[in-house]
């Protein structure tokens, strides 16, 4: 008997002696693509269609092959198919429901492919007809809501979420997707929350549910009242918020794990040995090889939760076992193609690992720690556009956290100490720190470490000015909290001071190149004012009097850098150039730093001369400083502990529009044919009762 091969809806005999046979479902599709009503000659046409296994590829391909005019001719049949799909969702037989859901996916995607500006037809009219659209979408959303909330098949729920993701992402700019107006009116918000609050559902569908919610929140968010924003902002159910936090933590942990695996694999490779041999000449290239795709979709979900819902802040500190240290049996997971934005869900072994009970031998973690580790990886390389976007979003999330009173309370809580192993960029002049020696400290120390790490590793030709401004703002907001609440944080402040001075030196040495692109005086002013915060209010939040002495020592030791900065800004503020005003602000801000230098330097020189010492030790300099505090006069500077609160709509709208566009494009790419395939579903519903 000749072997039968199936391809593109054809049943073809290998001998090729006869014409290829089309499978029945393809013949039925062909009838829909005629201008006649297919049910005229066959009254049971629609009933039979939804018993046939859907051929997604053929149906979408057929829709794409038609031009706008040809599609308009069969509009009535497409309307009819769409309506019968919705009717089939209410059927008792799961096979019919599955086939209807898949057909809807193909229809929505196929018709949208034709929605170019030249096609001249309206999507809603083409799919449903204007007169029936409202009722159609009401019925569709109610059916999807029922399926998602029912105690039925998990595969069926998964397909419902895939259909919703398909519906939301068919256009690059989701705010131009007019069908979403009906998704706003007929909300599925409660269904999404139910999935996140119910552990078994969350393990299977949590990732899709969180990404779907993040996208829906961004529909026309600046133009009209979005019900998903309103509802998300007032959620206070602990189980739901914790569920959302777990899904985000799992996805970020999966990224961290993949990076760590690649890093270890890379270090043991021949290339790594060669790198060491030639004195780290190729360290930059070596680092490039261990990059892992970033996940902006899940990061956007974290941002929306932190930004919109104050109750979610508590979730950041919820303890769970360190993902990756707990081992569980791993079941095979179908692979999903990785695309530039990496919105593929984490594998299920990570999801199950996280929800195990806490073990005394396992390092506990929380969402904030996982996020800080993720940020430390993503921020290492900002040359790539996606990583730059990820780095910016990480900084924005940290800005929101640094402004929140409750977040600051647990960040600075001495009773909540953790070892946070941040990833550090390989650099020639420093050794990799041993992970085991990490101290247990309040979480704010890890945030400050991350900011210091960013400052010292991004002084480069392609200067990320925007990220530096955000980084300094995060540090400033944390200092404002410490000053206000008189929190004396035991932190190695000298590392921060040193990083800030080195950044000033970089700005000065690259003045001409940087000024061609950026107003570097904005950043210089912020850095100088951080020092002014320490000088003016340091006695209220520095841990010991000796810390305050060390601050003065560091300013005096690096006086040349401050002198050079003053010379530079004075030169530009006395010229009538474009930087006059910006530079003069820095000139005024340097008044106390210059007073300290001019007051102590002569006294240190005098001490050295009297005692015949050519080079004073640190302790000797500190002795001079302590003895001469009383005669130092400083000016009181206003507004050092004030800052402008973060505002998305006025300053970040363009960034978020572009970010959501790229996430939408990527989610659509990941909804490949196999993610909608019937293999699992057919096994589950192998018999129709």
């Amino acid at each position: 008997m000749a072997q039968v091969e199936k391809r593109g809806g054809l049943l073809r005999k290998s001998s090729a002696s006869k014409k290829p046979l089309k499978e029945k479902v393809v013949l039925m599709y062909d009838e829909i693509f005629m201008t006649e009503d297919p049910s005229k000659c066959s009254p049971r046409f629609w009933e039979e269609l939804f018993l046939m296994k859907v051929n997604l590829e053929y149906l979408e391909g057929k829709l794409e092959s038609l031009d706008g005019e040809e599609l308009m001719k069969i509009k009535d049949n497409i309307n009819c198919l769409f309506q019968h799909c919705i009717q089939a969702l209410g059927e008792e037989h799961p096979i019919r429901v599955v086939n209807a859901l898949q057909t809807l996916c193909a229809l929505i995607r196929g018709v949208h492919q034709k929605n170019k500006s030249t096609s001249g037809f309206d999507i809603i009219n083409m799919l449903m007809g204007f007169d029936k659209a409202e009722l159609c979408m009401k019925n569709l959303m109610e059916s999807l809501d029922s399926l998602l909330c029912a105690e039925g098949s998990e595969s069926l729920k998964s397909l419902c979420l895939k259909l919703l993701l398909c519906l939301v992402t068919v256009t690059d700019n989701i705010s131009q997707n007019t069908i979403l107006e009906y998704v706003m009116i007929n909300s599925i918000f409660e269904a999404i929350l139910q999935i996140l609050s119910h552990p078994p559902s969350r393990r299977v569908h949590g990732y899709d549910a969180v990404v779907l919610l993040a996208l829906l929140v961004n529909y026309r968010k600046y133009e009209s009242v979005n019900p998903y924003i309103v509802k998300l902002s007032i959620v206070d159910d602990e189980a739901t918020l914790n569920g959302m936090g777990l899904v985000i933590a799992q996805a970020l942990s999966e990224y961290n794990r993949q990076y760590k695996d690649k890093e270890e694999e890379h270090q043991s490779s021949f290339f790594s040995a060669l790198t060491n041999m030639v004195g780290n000449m190729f360290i930059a290239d070596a680092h490039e090889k261990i990059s892992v795709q970033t996940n902006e979709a899940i990061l956007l979900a974290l941002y929306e939760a932190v930004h919109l819902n104050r109750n979610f802040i508590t979730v950041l500190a919820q303890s769970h076992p360190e993902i990756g240290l707990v081992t569980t049996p791993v079941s095979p997971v179908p692979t999903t193609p990785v695309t530039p934005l990496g919105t593929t869900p984490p594998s299920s072994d990570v999801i199950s690992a996280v929800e195990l009970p806490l073990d005394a031998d396992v390092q506990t973690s929380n969402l904030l720690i996982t996020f800080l580790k993720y940020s430390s990886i993503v921020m290492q390389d900002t040359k790539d556009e996606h990583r730059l976007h990820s780095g910016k979003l990480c900084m924005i999330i940290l800005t929101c956290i640094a402004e929140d009173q409750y977040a600051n309370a647990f960040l600075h809580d001495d009773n909540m100490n953790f070892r946070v192993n941040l990833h550090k960029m390989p650099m020639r002049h420093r050794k990799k720190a041993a992970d085991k020696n990490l101290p247990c400290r309040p979480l704010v120390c890890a945030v400050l470490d991350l900011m210091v790490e960013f400052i010292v590793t991004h002084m480069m030709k392609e200067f990320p000015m925007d990220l530096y401004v955000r980084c300094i703002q995060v540090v400033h907001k944390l200092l404002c909290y410490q000053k206000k609440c008189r929190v004396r944080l035991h932190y190695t402040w000298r590392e921060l001071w040193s990083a800030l001075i080195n950044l000033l030196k970089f700005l000065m040495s690259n003045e001409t190149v940087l000024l061609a692109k950026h107003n570097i005086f904005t950043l210089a002013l912020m850095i100088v004012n951080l020092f002014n915060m320490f000088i003016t209010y340091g006695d209220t939040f520095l841990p010991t009097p000796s810390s305050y002495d060390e601050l003065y020592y560091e300013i005096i030791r690096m006086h040349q850098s401050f002198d050079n900065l003053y010379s530079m800004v004075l030169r530009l503020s006395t010229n009538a150039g474009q930087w006059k005003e910006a530079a003069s602000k820095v000139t005024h801000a340097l008044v106390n730093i210059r007073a300290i230098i001019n007051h102590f330097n002569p006294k240190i020189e005098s001490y050295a001369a009297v005692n015949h010492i050519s080079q004073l030790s640190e302790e000797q300099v500190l002795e001079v400083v302590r003895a001469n505090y009383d005669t130092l006069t400083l000016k009181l500077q206003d507004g050092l502990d004030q800052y402008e609160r973060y505002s998305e709509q006025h300053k970040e709208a363009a960034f978020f529009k572009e970010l959501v566009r790229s996430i939408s494009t990527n989610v659509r790419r990941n909804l490949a044919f196999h993610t909608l395939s019937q293999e699992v579903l057919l096994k589950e519903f192998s018999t129709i009762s």
Side-chain angles (χ1 to χ4, degrees), residues 461-476:
K461 192 177 172 185
E462 291 298 317
F463 189 69
M465 178 74 172
D466 178 59
L467 294 188
Y468 266 110
V469 168
R470 291 171 195 277
C471 171
I472 304 300
Q473 283 173 340
V474 168
V475 175
H476 180 236

Side-chain angles (χ1 to χ4, degrees), residues 198-209:
H198 190 231
S201 290
R202 179 171 67 242
R203 288 189 192 104
V204 186
H205 314 298
Y207 186 90
D208 280 350

Side-chain angles (χ1 to χ4, degrees), residues 268-282:
S268 61
S269 68
F270 169 75
F271 186 82
S272 183
L274 179 67
T275 304
N276 293 333
M277 241 166 55
V278 295
N280 289 350
M281 276 169 64
F282 306 115

Side-chain angles (χ1 to χ4, degrees), residues 312-328:
F312 188 81
I313 294 290
T314 61
V315 175
L316 294 172
Q318 287 284 350
S319 293
H320 58 67
E322 180 79 280
I323 299 165
L325 295 178
V326 183
T327 52
T328 51

Side-chain angles (χ1 to χ4, degrees), residues 379-382 425 454-460 463-464 468:
M379 286 181 189
Q380 285 182 17
D381 175 24
T382 54
M425 195 185 286
F454 179 83
I455 292 167
V456 299
T457 55
H458 289 79
M459 297 178 218
M460 54 195 183
F463 189 69
Y468 266 110

